[in-house]
Structure formats: C-alpha cells, structure tokens
Amino acid sequence: MNTSLASRLHEGDPRAVGRAISLVENHDPAGHELLASLDRERINQCLVLGITGPPGAGKSTLTGQLIRCIRERKMRVGVIAVDPSSPISGGALLGDRIRMMDHALDRDVVVRSMATRGRLGGLCGAAGAAVRIMAASGCRIVIIETVGIGQSEMDIVSLADLTLMVLAPGFGDDIQAMKAGILEVADLLVVNKSDQPGARKLFLDMITVLRDPEEREQRIIETVASEGRGVAELLERVLEMEAKQRSQGLFQRRRDESFITETLDWAMELLAHPLRERIRRTASTETDPRLAAEHLLRNILK
Amino acid sequence: MNTSLASRLHEGDPRAVGRAISLVENHDPAGHELLASLDRERINQCLVLGITGPPGAGKSTLTGQLIRCIRERKMRVGVIAVDPSSPISGGALLGDRIRMMDHALDRDVVVRSMATRGRLGGLCGAAGAAVRIMAASGCRIVIIETVGIGQSEMDIVSLADLTLMVLAPGFGDDIQAMKAGILEVADLLVVNKSDQPGARKLFLDMITVLRDPEEREQRIIETVASEGRGVAELLERVLEMEAKQRSQGLFQRRRDESFITETLDWAMELLAHPLRERIRRTASTETDPRLAAEHLLRNILK
C-alpha cells in the first residue's frame, strides 16, 4: 500500500484526498487497501449532510454559503457534487461552480464532482467511499449535493446522516407531486428565495405537509441563499439535529443502513458489466427480457 | 395461462391492460406467460416516446395535449407516468393529472402510473413490460413521462425509441449544468412556455448547444402547451423522425439495446432482495463496503 498517500491523507492534504478518491473510482487495488486503513474514529465523528432539490432551487448557492458558515466555525468541510451531466461532454459543473465560489485557496474545503451519467450502480458506493476518505482527512462535515429528484438522488440521500430538501417558489404544481417524496427523505425543508413572490405560499404548503406543530418549527427554514440570509441559522439547526440523533442512537442506525446500501451498490456495479456482456451474447435467443433475466440468473448463481 | 385475459388485451380492453401490468409488477407467473404470448408485430409497430425534463417545465400539460393530437389522428395511445412520489404516501400524481385531463372516458387512451421510490432496479423492466403490453393492446404510440433528470429517468429514457426533453424559462444556471445530459438523451428539444420571459434566451442557449444548422431546425421546437400551441407540429416532427429512423435501421438498433437494458434491470431486481438480506446477515464482520461486496460476490457466483 501507498503509505505516504495514507499519511498525507490523514494530515489533510487536499491533493491526497483527490488522489485517493480517484484510485477507488478507478478500481485500483491500492484504493481498496487505503479504504480499509482509514481512521474509523474520524469517520464516526463526521456528519454527512445531503442537499437535494429540483434544478433552479438554489442548491449550489446555498452550499457555497453553508461552506462559509462551516469555515467560520473553523471546521474542515468536504463537498461531493453529484452532477447529472456527463464527464465526456464537459460535466462536473456543480463542483466547478462551488469551487469557484471563494474557497478555491482554502485547503480545508475539499470539493469533488461525480457524474451520474453512464453508471449502472456504483454511484452510491463511489460517493460513500469519497465521504469516508474526506472524513478521514479531517472533515467535520461532508456535504453531498445532488441535482434532481430521481431514484439515484434518493439512493445517494440514503448515504446522508441528515438531508436538506431545498425548494423555491416557481415550480407550480410539480411541488405537489414531489410532496410525498420530500416528506420521506427530508430531515429539514429549506424554502429558499424566501424574498420572492410565491415563497409564502410554498412555505404554507409545506406546513400542511407536516402535521406535528412541533415539527413545523423545527423542520422548515427560510433562506435567501444569494444574500446569505438564514444560512447560519440553518447550520445551527443542522448541528442541533445531529447532536439529538447521536444521543438517541438514530445516527448509528442510519449509518448501519448506509453500509448495507453501499455494499449492495458496489455488488451491483461489480456485476453489471459481466451481466451485460453475457446478455449481449445470448440475447437473440430470448423472447422477453423478464424471462431472459431469469434464465441468465439460473446460469450464474450458486 | 389466462387466455381470456390475453384475448381481451389484444382486443384493446383497458382493464385487461391494467390487469396484465399488475400481474407482471407483482411477479405473478401468469404475467410472465402473458408477456411471452404478446403480439410481436404490434410491439414492433409501436413508437415508444420518452418525455422528460425538470419539474415545472410543463410535461404533464404537454403530454395531455399530445394525447389530444394523437387521438385526432385516430391512433390509440398509452401513457406510462413515472412518478418520484411514493405509492405509500399517496403518489401516482402524474398519472392522475393526465387521467383527469379529458381522456377519462376514451378507451383508446390507456394510462398507467409507476413509482420510482423504494425500488432498486426493476423500474426499467416493469416499464418495458408495460410498454409491450400497451403496444400489444393496439397502442400506436406509448408515451413514457418522467419527472426529474436523475439516472433512473435516464435509464427509462433508454427504453424510448425517441425522447423529447421539455424545458421552460426560469431554471437559471441549472440549465447550463443540464446541457450536456440534454444533448445525450434528447432527440427533440421542446422549449415550452415560449410566450414567457426568458423563453427566447433559452431557445438561443439551446441553439448554441447544437452545432449543425440543419439539426437546429429539426431538433428544437417551441410550444405553449397550456394553449396547445405548437403541439400538432411537434407530433408531426416526431412521426417524421420515427419514419426516418425506421428506414435507416436505427430504430431496430435502439430496440436491441433496450432489450439488453431491460434484461439487466430485471436481473438486478431479482438479485437485489436476496443480496441485501445476505449483506444484512454478514455486514458486521466487514470493515468497508467495497471489500464486503467483493467478498459477497465470491460466495454466490459460479
């Protein structure tokens, strides 16, 4: 194993963080050895904060402001920006936007982009590994930011200890369609752009989603991320919620579930390519995908 | 096998369509037999049209208007509405909205909702089966509508013969982040709400994405779906593109790829539950998900 990489990583060298994540993403055996050697205590102390919501809600701006507030508290922070655009045609824009925001020269702000395109499985696993690498490098908080509200975003959210759902006025009826999903994944609802028309209506809509009056107070927060308004309060709320969940044991239970999800995701990633190749070779003889899949599995499983 | 269900399905009975899809979704062996007996010729003749784009772009309204135009041409049409909200907490809203739109009493408009939440794999497979069932029931066009721009939406799009990406003004910079992804999946770009501020800028932005002048003309269409404007022209463009791709053999090549994707997705669905249970039993002994996954696969593969 590359011990100097491991020690540079644990000393907080941002380039060592990037190198370690690349090794894992490229399935380099040195990366896997590194993963097994990471400081478990730091991983346990780190808070993994998911930030999700529809395009245009202001997630990147909010993330930039959260980084500022986290840094004001002298905490090291990592950001994993999960981007639906492809690495081939010039993706990784979320990460670029965050990087350009003010923190480019701050070695305690570590940013990594990951593309969802072209993957079948493997994103949760890779993102989970990146989280642990950043945590082991000393990040007190690792933010996972995703665009979109699809299933892969939901899966990534399952890696987070706490999840913020960022909404903003102007999405019309689609917000209604999202409500149920929002409730299931969001620990905190952020009504961003709260100075814009329709923000009050959105806030009240979200209030009706939460039935418990106590919850309303705790779980909905208004921000104007472009001006930094409400962001320090949001971070405060996040850290309070973390402390509460740690003391209740909920934190560890979610971590245990994440472990299962990540392991399953890695298994799927490792299986996808050989299975696809096998299907390609045998496809012409089958008449229906469901039957073809059953036939395939009969032939490969013990 | 339930031969009366198969014959009612091929006669176009909408309830038989719904029943058949439910059988497949519930893994009922009768459903799989039915899939193997579907009219292959009708499946080949059917056009599978994917409609995707960010929340708030007006996809449901556009879908409703497209249904109207398709029905004016006396074609039977199916709609599969893929909804990120959960079936538990009252999801299936996309499908409800479309159903309520005017076509509730028209037996040649068949609508089915599918939820993405809580699935790990299996959505492509289930959606693909629903497409074939609707096609066999006589649908000349089956529309797959998805909310979101995540990976599972992209996977579903891979089932489509042609894909429309619907955009509208008001998404700000996130449109830039989506550009690359848009290019890779969209056969046609629809700039909806083209009467609203910012629509011209969006149209020009999209023009710059397409370098070939001939492509611009063919691939970008402006609509005001709420008033039905531009929708008949859009359908015309879709049918022209279908005819062209069929004559060039591209249509069949995409179908062959879809078959592989669906088969792989079914295989993943069939594997996910047993793998997850096995991980749950053995998880505590492992230290890293990547290593746990490798260990797992060594033990189950031939």
Side-chain angles (χ1 to χ4, degrees), chain B residues 218-272:
Chain B
Q218 291 173 351
R219 288 185 58 192
I220 308 187
I221 296 171
E222 292 175 291
T223 60
V224 183
S226 58
E227 301 171 8
R229 267 199 276 161
V231 181
E233 294 80 353
L234 173 61
L235 178 59
E236 189 62 39
R237 198 78 63 91
V238 164
L239 294 172
E240 282 168 16
M241 194 173 257
E242 179 198 14
K244 191 173 165 194
Q245 297 204 350
R246 280 187 191 272
S247 69
Q248 292 172 337
L250 185 57
F251 195 90
Q252 190 55 46
R253 282 205 298 280
R254 281 172 84 155
R255 282 277 167 108
D256 293 344
E257 280 303 309
S258 297
F259 180 93
I260 294 169
T261 301
E262 281 179 62
T263 303
L264 185 56
D265 193 63
W266 277 117
M268 294 299 192
E269 159 131 337
L270 296 172
L271 278 170

Side-chain angles (χ1 to χ4, degrees), chain B residues 58-259:
Chain B
K59 292 179 298 298
S60 295
T61 310
L62 186 70
T63 301
Q65 292 287 345
L66 268 175
I67 293 170
R68 189 178 52 73
C69 293
I70 294 167
R71 293 297 298 133
E72 281 172 7
R73 291 179 177 236
K74 309 288 179 216
M75 293 171 171
R76 180 181 171 93
V77 60
V79 182
I80 298 166
V82 178
D83 199 315
S85 47
S86 147
I88 303 159
S89 33
L93 282 154
L94 280 184
D96 287 349
R97 265 193 270 164
I98 292 165
R99 245 186 298 268
M100 287 184 304
M101 262 171 200
D102 298 322
H103 317 289
L105 298 174
D106 184 345
R107 79 190 294 274
D108 287 321
V109 178
V110 194
V111 178
R112 178 76 176 200
S113 296
M114 294 195 165
T116 58
R117 298 290 330 277
R119 283 171 189 267
L120 189 92
L123 181 61
C124 272
V131 162
R132 274 189 295 279
I133 288 165
M134 287 181 174
S137 85
C139 291
R140 171 62 181 82
I141 298 179
V142 173
I143 294 171
I144 306 181
E145 183 191 337
T146 68
V147 163
I149 52 162
Q151 185 56 40
S152 50
E153 288 71 32
M154 296 292 184
D155 290 343
I156 292 163
V157 160
S158 74
L159 300 181
D161 302 314
L162 290 175
T163 296
L164 309 185
M165 170 70 73
V166 185
L167 300 173
F171 293 100
D173 285 350
D174 281 313
I175 289 287
Q176 301 298 324
M178 282 185 255
K179 261 189 189 176
I182 288 167
L183 263 182
E184 283 168 50
V185 302
D187 296 291
L188 290 168
L189 295 175
V190 180
V191 176
N192 192 29
K193 307 186 185 180
S194 65
D195 56 344
Q196 291 192 8
R200 199 64 211 166
K201 178 171 183 314
L202 176 61
F203 183 84
L204 295 173
D205 271 1
M206 289 302 117
I207 285 273
T208 65
V209 168
L210 304 174
R211 291 206 188 95
D212 179 350
E214 192 199 3
E215 273 205 328
R216 294 175 194 172
E217 290 293 318
Q218 291 173 351
R219 288 185 58 192
I220 308 187
I221 296 171
E222 292 175 291
T223 60
V224 183
S226 58
E227 301 171 8
R229 267 199 276 161
V231 181
E233 294 80 353
L234 173 61
L235 178 59
E236 189 62 39
R237 198 78 63 91
V238 164
L239 294 172
E240 282 168 16
M241 194 173 257
E242 179 198 14
K244 191 173 165 194
Q245 297 204 350
R246 280 187 191 272
S247 69
Q248 292 172 337
L250 185 57
F251 195 90
Q252 190 55 46
R253 282 205 298 280
R254 281 172 84 155
R255 282 277 167 108
D256 293 344
E257 280 303 309
S258 297
F259 180 93

Side-chain angles (χ1 to χ4, degrees), chain A residues 27 32 40 56 85-86 89 116-117 151-152 174 177 184 257 268 280 287 290 298 300-302, chain B residues 27 32 40 56 85-86 89 116-117 132 151-152 174 177 184 257 268 280 287 290 298 300-302:
Chain A
H27 297 275
H32 310 147
R40 314 295 300 171
S85 47
S86 150
S89 30
T116 59
R117 295 295 328 280
Q151 184 57 39
S152 50
D174 282 312
E184 284 167 49
E257 280 303 311
M268 294 298 192
R280 201 178 289 281
T287 56
R290 178 65 162 80
R298 261 201 306 276
I300 61 158
L301 293 179
K302 277 176 190 164
Chain B
H27 296 276
H32 310 148
R40 314 297 300 173
S85 47
S86 147
S89 33
T116 58
R117 298 290 330 277
R132 274 189 295 279
Q151 185 56 40
S152 50
D174 281 313
E184 283 168 50
E257 280 303 309
M268 294 299 192
R280 201 178 290 280
T287 57
R290 177 67 162 79
R298 260 201 305 278
I300 61 159
L301 293 180
K302 275 177 191 167

Side-chain angles (χ1 to χ4, degrees), chain A residues 261-296:
Chain A
T261 302
E262 280 177 62
T263 304
L264 186 56
D265 193 63
W266 275 118
M268 294 298 192
E269 160 131 337
L270 296 172
L271 277 170
H273 182 70
L275 286 187
R276 185 178 279 274
E277 286 313 300
R278 197 182 280 240
I279 294 164
R280 201 178 289 281
R281 285 199 306 275
T282 58
S284 59
T285 61
E286 307 285 347
T287 56
D288 182 85
R290 178 65 162 80
L291 306 176
E294 283 182 4
H295 188 248
L296 174 74

Side-chain angles (χ1 to χ4, degrees), chain A residues 2 5 18-32 34:
Chain A
N2 193 331
L5 180 61
R19 173 93 182 110
I21 296 172
S22 295
L23 286 176
V24 174
E25 281 218 296
N26 298 334
H27 297 275
D28 189 311
H32 310 147
L34 189 76

Side-chain angles (χ1 to χ4, degrees), chain B residues 9 13-23 110 112 133:
Chain B
L9 175 70
D13 179 353
R15 285 189 305 172
V17 172
R19 174 92 183 111
I21 295 171
S22 294
L23 285 176
V110 194
R112 178 76 176 200
I133 288 165

